[in-house]
Amino acid sequence: MATRHQHRSLLSTDDLTDAALRAVVDRGARHAAGRAGGARTLDGDVVGVYFRMTSTRTRTAFSSGALRLGAQIIAYGPDDLQINTGESSEDTGRVFARMLDVIVARTGLPQQELAAWADPRRLCVVNAMTAEEHPTQALTDLATLKGRFGEIEGLRVVYVGEGNNTAASLALALSRFPGVRFELRTPPGYGLTPEIRARAEEHAGRSGATLVERHDMDALPRDTDVWYTTRWQTTGTVKPDADWRDVFAPFQVTRELWEHSPKAVFMHDLPAHRGDEVTSEVLDGPRSIALDQAENKMHSAMAVLEWCRGVDFAA
Ligand code: CP
């Protein structure tokens, strides 16, 4: 096991300084463009990939990304670990720290319990999605925006749908870029949590970004660069009200939205439910960059793993 590197953890985009956030986004975009040098920067590392919940993109991205960087991986599925038979989360983390360099985890545990595994001397923990945040998705999304638009500063992004973990991490990340306008249109009762809003507003106040949240689809902006949505049935969650579809129905992304912004691109973190949050016409249409986004999960995963282990991006 390599011992020459650092053991930084990424539970939230807020674990990154402004400079580190930019560096990881840029590094992800460089990997995507084939301009990151191709070095096996994680040679000798062992990366655990523990998914107790379903995942297609994030699990594949970190597995493929770690292998491409020269690491070995150990994959744990939902039924593999003694945590299922009552071993504590704390003991599970302590054991990981003795044998792995990095653990990438989507466990269903509260974010604080996952954070408790982090050990700056022994183990990097990467949050591959909790109920609260989905930081590696936001880093992917920003790398995709960087590749598409050249700069993130000044972009106008409208997010339509539930104020879930994807929305939370996007708000926390985009609000740190000067001139960004991030507008959320979330169904009534399904907005950002007050805690996430407060953190994002604090970032925006410092950076000069603008954060807006409304619970209707009236007076949509016409000068949007990006429309973004996510599926209505967020992984691992159940809606409290039986009539939730009635509340969400006006928030479907349809072709009519393009009339508001003829040059805008469409983004979706996937998986999608065509006919729910977005029509096939939009998701599969010429202005959709959802599949680039999906591929970029791997390139950004490589950047995240490298940051965790202290790889010098300038080298
Ligand atoms: N977007 C995303 O996190 O996809 P998976 O759930 O397939 O990992």
Side-chain angles (χ1 to χ4, degrees):
M1 184 162 39
T3 54
R4 64 192 182 282
H5 298 306
Q6 300 197 42
H7 289 95
R8 299 167 172 151
S9 289
L10 184 83
L11 280 306
S12 166
T13 52
D14 282 1
D15 291 330
L16 299 165
T17 63
D18 287 349
L21 175 63
R22 280 178 170 70
V24 173
V25 168
D26 289 355
R27 181 74 172 178
R30 289 178 74 84
H31 274 301
R35 290 190 288 107
R40 291 167 68 84
T41 47
L42 262 62
D43 206 10
D45 275 10
V46 181
V47 176
V49 180
Y50 174 28
F51 278 74
R52 205 174 177 192
M53 299 164 68
T54 55
S55 168
T56 299
R57 276 144 292 273
T58 314
R59 179 173 178 168
T60 309
F62 275 95
S63 303
S64 178
L67 289 168
R68 285 167 192 265
L69 292 174
Q72 304 295 309
I73 62 168
I74 301 175
Y76 308 101
D79 303 321
D80 291 345
L81 296 178
Q82 297 290 16
I83 204 165
N84 287 16
T85 63
E87 185 165 29
S88 72
S89 165
E90 291 83 356
D91 284 351
T92 305
R94 287 187 192 115
V95 172
F96 282 155
R98 296 296 179 113
M99 303 187 201
L100 301 174
D101 299 292
V102 182
I103 182 76
V104 179
R106 180 181 290 186
T107 61
L109 292 170
Q111 196 155 309
Q112 278 188 336
E113 274 192 55
L114 190 60
W117 290 357
D119 182 339
R121 291 172 301 121
R122 288 177 178 269
L123 183 68
C124 313
V125 178
V126 176
N127 173 5
M129 197 187 84
T130 57
E132 297 94 336
E133 295 179 52
H134 197 355
T136 65
Q137 183 64 49
L139 293 169
T140 300
D141 297 339
L142 267 58
T144 305
L145 292 172
K146 175 93 181 168
R148 180 80 186 191
F149 293 99
E151 293 298 338
I152 295 164
E153 283 81 357
L155 287 179
R156 296 150 300 183
V157 180
V158 180
Y159 175 97
V160 181
E162 187 169 11
N164 59 11
N165 41 21
T166 290
S169 288
L170 260 184
L172 291 172
L174 283 174
S175 59
R176 292 166 68 177
F177 286 81
V180 162
R181 178 182 167 86
F182 185 48
E183 179 163 340
L184 297 105
R185 298 299 186 106
T186 52
Y190 289 95
L192 292 178
T193 65
E195 191 259 338
I196 293 290
R197 265 200 76 123
R199 283 164 56 193
E201 280 169 356
E202 189 182 325
H203 292 324
R206 189 170 45 81
S207 72
T210 303
L211 182 75
V212 175
E213 184 174 22
R214 289 177 58 154
H215 303 298
D216 59 54
M217 290 290 275
D218 300 334
L220 289 166
R222 295 194 170 277
D223 56 355
T224 305
D225 297 303
V226 181
W227 292 96
Y228 192 121
T229 194
T230 187
R231 77 171 174 177
W232 289 346
Q233 289 158 299
T234 301
T235 302
T237 66
V238 177
K239 306 251 185 293
D241 54 324
D243 300 331
W244 66 267
R245 281 187 175 278
D246 297 338
V247 181
F248 276 68
F251 294 84
Q252 186 184 60
V253 175
T254 64
R255 189 166 63 92
E256 282 66 45
L257 287 186
W258 297 142
E259 291 165 11
H260 289 271
S261 43
K263 292 183 183 165
V265 298
F266 171 74
M267 295 177 73
H268 192 310
D269 59 346
L270 303 177
H273 281 175
R274 290 170 176 79
D276 270 5
E277 73 276 5
V278 63
T279 60
S280 301
E281 192 178 22
V282 172
L283 180 60
D284 303 321
R287 285 155 64 187
S288 171
I289 57 171
L291 276 178
D292 294 336
Q293 226 181 318
E295 180 187 325
N296 284 344
K297 292 208 72 153
M298 180 183 73
H299 302 300
S300 286
M302 292 163 75
V304 167
L305 291 168
E306 291 181 314
W307 174 80
C308 286
R309 297 295 279 133
V311 172
D312 182 2
F313 292 166

